[in-house]
Structure formats: structure tokens, C-alpha cells
Amino acid sequence: MNYDRILIRYGEISTKGRNRNKFVDKLRRSVRIALAPFPKIKIRAERDRMYVLVNGENVPEIINALKNIFGIQSISPAIKVERDIEHMKMAALSLVKELYKEGQTFKISPKRSDKTFELDTEGINHTLGGNILANIPGIKVNVKKPDINVKIEVLSDAIYISCENILGAGGLPVGSSGKAMLMLSGGIDSPVAGYLTMKRGVEIEAVHFFSPPFTSERSKEKVIDLAKKLAEIFGSMKLHIVPFTDIQQTIKEKIPENYSMTSTRRFMLQITDEIRKKQEGLAIITGDNLGQVASQTLESMYAINEVTNTPILRPLLTMDKNDIIKIAKDIDTYDISIRPFEDCCTIFVPSSPKTKPKREKVQRYESFFDFDSLIQAAVKETETLVIKPDTKVVSEFNDLF
Ligand code: ATP
Ligand code: MG
């Protein structure tokens, strides 16, 4: 049996009332991006579901691409048949015949959105169930835990039949919850923080602090590769690369060593916030994880966070490292993150950074030098790259509609 369409059920977006159109639009955009390698498909977005019309493209491959899209609750390959009892019987039978393995059980699950159809749900059950029992020797009915669940949906235009229900990624479509700036280092944590925030519908732009010649081009490439991975989710992503050498060297000269980490973080945050304003983002995301290193104690966060009142999202704050690593592996960023290239912070890291820095002290140390003009210069010299994923055929987007 050739499936001719793939049914996409929306996740939480169905509950979002007035915002529904926006959610459906964003989801449609994500689907269009993910399915760019399948130029013949067509997408039909409706209020409460979406269909991908297969048009001869490879169904399992399309399903694989759909599985990673945020905002999709479940996916079912389906066939559309005329509103006619004989057509429905034949299609259901051949679908079950194809999936059936010896000893398996089945069940018919009819749903009649259009009540004018000549059979009621009971009638559909009997007609289709009887036909399957009569034609597939050995098959049995099991209404509680069937191996094959034949879903029949009777709508006013046609009948849809599907037997498989594949779990989607859940979450909300990217772009439906506004935009935030991700502070992206080359480490394990920040890409995971970005991924989890995107899963809640937030579009991200990344900001990376780069200190040549102390950090090499290879470490910049590493960050670009991480950005490429995240860009797969939304089709493209901006990466702002901030030249940070002058500031780090000045910190080293002007700030007592045990406060240099605190100041570094404060300036990073200030610069990210300036870029955020320009780009009209609403929040900043970091990969901070409570207690992991000196800059991630509550006292440190209290001292660092002072420089802005922009919301800072820290999706990993309370997670265990093992769980973070698991996600990093799942989303394919782990192997990139563990490439052994230095980060701007590790190079300048003091031997014993304060784990309990004081706001008053760091303010005083910073007040002896005009860091503001360095910050403005770094923002001005920031280079912005538009990162596209490696594997997508971006140029074909426009042909899809
Ligand atoms: P990560 O694995 O994300 O590097 P980490 O455990 O190494 O995190 P830190 O190095 O203390 O922790 O960094 C904490 C957070 O600060 C990072 O998750 C990231 O959001 C931000 N950050 C650190 N270094 C940079 C950098 N060079 N550019 C941009 N953001 C950075
Ligand atoms: Mg790091």
C-alpha cells in the first residue's frame, strides 16, 4: 500500500487559542525547511492538523525529517479514500495485510467528524473488522492492546486511514515565542541550552566571544560547526562573533586576578545585551549550570547579573551533567564540543577565581578604567555570519509553494 500523505498532529499549539494562526504558520515554516530535500511534496496546513502530500517522495525519509521538528505531537502516514464503503474496506484491508505479522492482533478505531456518513462508528467497526477477519487467516481482534490500530477518520470530503502513530519531538514551533540571544561557547552546555530553548518556540541568534590570537581559528570553526547543528532546526541562524582580546587583556591588567572571571562575565553579558537590543531580542540564554564552576555559583550569578535586567534564561541550571551530555549526544553536538580547542575564558582563567564575589568590589575595580568605550568598540567590530546547516538544500525553498 502506498501512503499518499503524512498526517501531522499539532502538540500544545492546539490549546493556544487566538495565537493558533501564528503557531501553524511557524510550524509550516519549520516543516518546509526540514522537507526541503523533498522537492515534490506539498504541504497543506489546516487549523488543527497539517498534511504533507507525498507525491512519490520517500515516506520513511520524510517521517525521519519530521521527527525532529518542534511543535509536532505525532505523525501518521495515511491514505485518503473516497467516502464510499467499498473503497474504505479495500484500503483498510490492504493496509493491514501489508503490516500483519503472524499472530498479531488488530482493532478498528473509527472517528466520524462528519455525522452524515451512512455508517455510524459501530457500523464501520463491524464492516471493516469483519472484512479483515474474513480475509487474513489467523488475525484476531484485541481492543485493549492491538498490534495494529486502524484509525479511520470520516471527514466531509474524504476518509483517512492510518495505522501507525509515530511520536513527534513535542515542544512549540520555533519562532512562535519570540527571539533571544544564545551565548554560545565551544563547550558542551551552551548548544544544549540553545536547543532546549528553541524547543519552547524561541528563535535564537548566537553570540560568541573570540580572543585571537589566544584562541585559534580552529576554535572559531568549532563554534561555527555547533551553530550549523542548531541552524538545522530553523533553517538558518545568525552568529555574532565578538572580538574580545582587548577587553580580556585590559581585565588582566586592571582587575585583581581573583575578580577577573567575574568582570569577564559581566562584560560578556553587557556586550550580548547591546547586540540583543540591536537585534530586537527579548532575552539572553546561557549554558550556566548551578555550582559547576566558579562563575556559576549563586553568588557569582548575583554579581554578574547586575549589569542587565534583561531576562536571562538558564535552561540547564538545575540539570545533572550526565543528562546534559545525553542531550548533547542526541542532538549531535557532543562530538563537536569535545574537540580540544581552547576557549577565550579558559585561556585567561585565573588560578583561583572568587566563588563568592561581591557586587560592591567588582563595581569598584571596574570603575578605575573606562571599560565602556572598550565595550562599545567590541560591539561595533562584531562580525555577523548567517549560518546555514550543511545538509539542507536551501535554494529549493521557494519552489515548494
Ligand atoms: P559551556 O559548556 O557552554 O562552555 P561551561 O560549563 O564551560 O559551559 P563556562 O565556561 O563557565 O561553563 O560558561 C558558562 C556560560 O557562559 C556558557 O554556557 C555560555 O553560555 C557562556 N560563555 C562562556 N564562554 C563563552 C564564549 N566564549 N562566548 C560566548 N558565550 C560564552
Ligand atoms: Mg565553557
Side-chain angles (χ1 to χ4, degrees):
M1 173 60 59
N2 287 331
Y3 289 116
D4 60 3
R5 68 201 54 227
I6 295 167
L7 166 64
I8 295 172
R9 296 183 193 82
Y10 305 153
E12 293 173 48
I13 63 172
S14 356
T15 62
K16 293 279 176 186
R18 280 184 304 149
N19 285 336
R20 184 187 294 250
N21 286 348
K22 182 174 163 197
F23 282 69
V24 174
D25 275 355
K26 296 291 179 188
L27 183 59
R28 181 193 175 104
R29 183 185 184 282
S30 297
V31 171
R32 186 161 56 95
I33 290 167
L35 300 189
F38 308 95
K40 284 191 271 174
I41 60 118
K42 289 264 178 288
I43 301 169
R44 299 254 172 282
E46 293 174 8
R47 244 184 94 71
D48 47 9
R49 61 185 48 200
M50 204 177 282
Y51 293 102
V52 174
L53 305 180
V54 173
N55 287 332
E57 297 279 7
N58 183 305
V59 172
E61 280 176 18
I62 294 176
I63 290 177
N64 254 342
L66 292 174
K67 268 195 218 163
N68 300 321
I69 299 177
F70 299 138
I72 295 183
Q73 183 193 337
S74 65
I75 306 155
S76 295
I79 30 178
K80 178 181 182 179
V81 295
E82 274 177 47
R83 276 169 46 105
D84 166 88
I85 297 174
E86 279 314 306
H87 278 100
M88 177 171 71
K89 270 168 70 177
M90 266 163 44
L93 177 62
S94 52
L95 209 52
V96 176
K97 250 189 189 158
E98 196 155 297
L99 293 169
Y100 176 71
K101 293 192 194 72
E102 213 181 309
Q104 286 191 322
T105 57
F106 81 105
K107 161 191 180 176
I108 307 285
S109 302
K111 197 169 145 202
R112 228 173 37 128
S113 306
D114 175 22
K115 307 284 182 213
T116 62
F117 187 61
E118 55 195 294
L119 291 178
D120 61 8
T121 51
E122 201 51 26
I124 296 173
N125 254 337
H126 276 115
T127 313
L128 298 191
N131 189 44
I132 288 169
L133 285 169
N135 287 288
I136 304 181
I139 197 165
K140 290 203 176 68
V141 176
N142 182 339
V143 287
K144 283 211 176 112
K145 265 187 125 185
D147 299 307
I148 304 168
N149 187 357
V150 190
K151 288 192 183 151
I152 308 285
E153 293 195 53
V154 182
L155 301 184
S156 53
D157 65 322
I159 295 173
Y160 294 91
I161 308 181
S162 58
C163 287
E164 290 165 88
N165 198 24
I166 297 135
L167 212 60
L172 303 171
V174 177
S176 61
S177 308
K179 184 163 74 183
M181 314 306 290
L182 168 68
M183 295 178 68
L184 183 63
S185 69
I188 295 171
D189 301 331
S190 43
V192 174
Y195 171 85
L196 291 177
T197 314
M198 289 174 104
K199 185 166 184 185
R200 296 312 300 170
V202 177
E203 179 188 347
I204 59 177
E205 290 187 14
V207 178
H208 177 68
F209 292 84
F210 182 52
S211 299
F214 305 103
T215 47
S216 63
E217 281 300 314
R218 305 285 292 276
S219 73
K220 186 169 160 185
E221 272 165 30
K222 179 177 169 181
V223 172
I224 291 176
D225 286 348
L226 288 170
K228 280 183 181 170
K229 276 282 159 206
L230 293 174
E232 284 177 14
I233 300 172
F234 201 53
S236 74
M237 184 175 75
K238 284 194 178 137
L239 170 61
H240 306 277
I241 299 192
V242 185
F244 204 47
T245 317
D246 283 356
I247 296 182
Q248 286 206 290
Q249 276 178 323
T250 314
I251 292 173
K252 202 170 162 59
E253 277 165 34
K254 307 286 180 192
I255 304 283
E257 200 193 342
N258 57 355
Y259 268 80
S260 63
M261 174 62 89
T262 314
S263 276
T264 306
R265 297 298 177 178
R266 283 163 62 97
F267 296 140
M268 279 185 169
L269 197 52
Q270 263 169 282
I271 292 169
T272 306
D273 207 26
E274 290 292 321
I275 300 172
R276 174 201 63 79
K277 270 183 225 156
K278 278 192 179 173
Q279 300 300 113
E280 300 179 347
L282 294 169
I284 294 170
I285 308 154
T286 76
D288 285 329
N289 184 237
L290 195 56
Q292 199 183 82
V293 289
S295 61
Q296 299 176 21
T297 61
L298 280 185
E299 289 84 355
S300 269
M301 281 180 207
Y302 183 74
I304 293 165
N305 220 152
E306 185 191 29
V307 300
T308 177
N309 57 15
T310 299
I312 310 232
L313 313 181
R314 298 180 175 92
L316 311 186
L317 195 71
T318 59
M319 286 173 72
D320 287 341
K321 190 76 187 184
N322 283 344
D323 296 329
I324 299 171
I325 289 176
K326 187 176 177 304
I327 300 175
K329 286 183 175 164
D330 283 349
I331 64 173
D332 268 357
T333 55
Y334 184 77
D335 287 342
I336 305 172
S337 292
I338 59 171
R339 286 186 208 158
F341 299 116
E342 65 299 312
D343 183 67
C344 69
C345 304
T346 39
I347 294 224
F348 286 90
V349 78
S351 49
S352 55
K354 269 265 179 236
T355 52
K356 296 183 177 181
K358 299 275 179 294
R359 278 188 181 183
E360 311 73 54
K361 282 200 176 169
V362 69
Q363 280 167 13
R364 202 160 60 81
Y365 297 145
E366 288 174 5
S367 70
F368 298 129
F369 189 82
D370 179 18
F371 279 103
D372 262 352
S373 43
L374 284 185
I375 289 178
Q376 293 318 322
V379 172
K380 221 169 140 220
E381 283 155 29
T382 293
E383 174 195 10
T384 298
L385 309 175
V386 177
I387 304 289
K388 306 261 182 194
D390 271 341
T391 53
K392 299 285 149 56
V393 190
V394 180
S395 58
E396 286 181 14
F397 284 1
N398 293 337
D399 305 339
L400 290 181
F401 298 92

